Every structure is written in C-alpha cells, then in structure tokens.
Amino acid sequence: LDEMLSDFGIDKSVVDGCEILLASYSYEDYEGDAFVLFKRDGKLFEVNGGHCSCHGLESQSYNCDNDTQWEPEETTKEALEYRLENSTSYSGNEYAAELKQALLVC
C-alpha cells in the first residue's frame, strides 16, 4: 500500500474506505505500467497509469505539471471480464491472471 501511494504521489486518505483488490506494476526498459482495482461503497473502480524513464506515475503528463495519474474510473466486473476475453489491451501483461482471480471475489 505504501509503495503504491508513493508511486502515484497520493496521500493515504485518498484510499480511506477502499478495499484494494489488485495493485499491479510492471517495469521494463525504463517504462512502467500500473493497474489498480478497488472497491468503495460497493462499487468497483480502476486506475490505469504509465510512465517513461523521465516521468513517474505521480506526473499526469509529459509536461511535468506534477498532477498524479491516480484518476479512478468506475467500472464493472462484466466490463473487466469482457476486456480480459476480447481485448488485446491485457495481452502480454503480467496481471491478467491476477485480475481474473480478483474478479472471483467481486
């Protein structure tokens, strides 16, 4: 949890009341991708982030405006399952199997 908060540059209060179901971060060749799935008030939310060698997850964009990429979007179990089965966006990533397991408890 502390590492995730630090990576995104957010305070612990941002995730108060959240049940973190999955927090994944992959890093290769000076670039990284992050995915967080959490539940709050019975609803599912996802956060997606990425960075290059110069800018981390705490930077919203390459212009270094220091806004975080922590931008939760409401999602559904069905939407995530659909993307896992029908989209190439999850192919080759390290967390697809973990996401499938996390969705079993949703």
Side-chain angles (χ1 to χ4, degrees), residues 11-93:
D11 186 81
K12 189 174 186 316
S13 64
V14 173
V15 295
D16 283 348
C18 295
E19 177 187 359
I20 306 294
L21 302 172
L22 173 65
S24 177
Y25 177 73
S26 61
Y27 178 82
E28 185 176 338
D29 296 329
Y30 304 105
E31 295 183 356
D33 292 301
F35 177 82
V36 180
L37 179 67
F38 66 92
K39 190 182 280 190
R40 176 185 281 158
D41 299 327
K43 297 178 182 178
L44 284 176
F45 295 87
E46 66 179 291
V47 176
N48 295 278
H51 71 85
C52 67
S53 61
C54 306
H55 306 280
L57 296 171
E58 75 283 355
S59 297
Q60 178 65 29
S61 63
Y62 295 114
N63 64 10
C64 296
D65 57 9
N66 292 325
D67 291 331
T68 181
Q69 290 186 48
W70 182 266
E71 293 184 4
E73 297 179 64
E74 189 172 349
T75 189
T76 64
K77 179 179 179 179
E78 294 77 19
L80 293 167
E81 287 173 336
Y82 181 85
R83 282 189 272 163
L84 280 168
E85 297 299 322
N86 299 297
S87 174
T88 59
S89 63
Y90 291 116
S91 64
N93 71 47

Side-chain angles (χ1 to χ4, degrees), residues 90-103:
Y90 291 116
S91 64
N93 71 47
E94 299 176 2
Y95 66 87
E98 294 172 325
L99 179 56
K100 288 179 183 178
Q101 290 296 315
L103 291 175

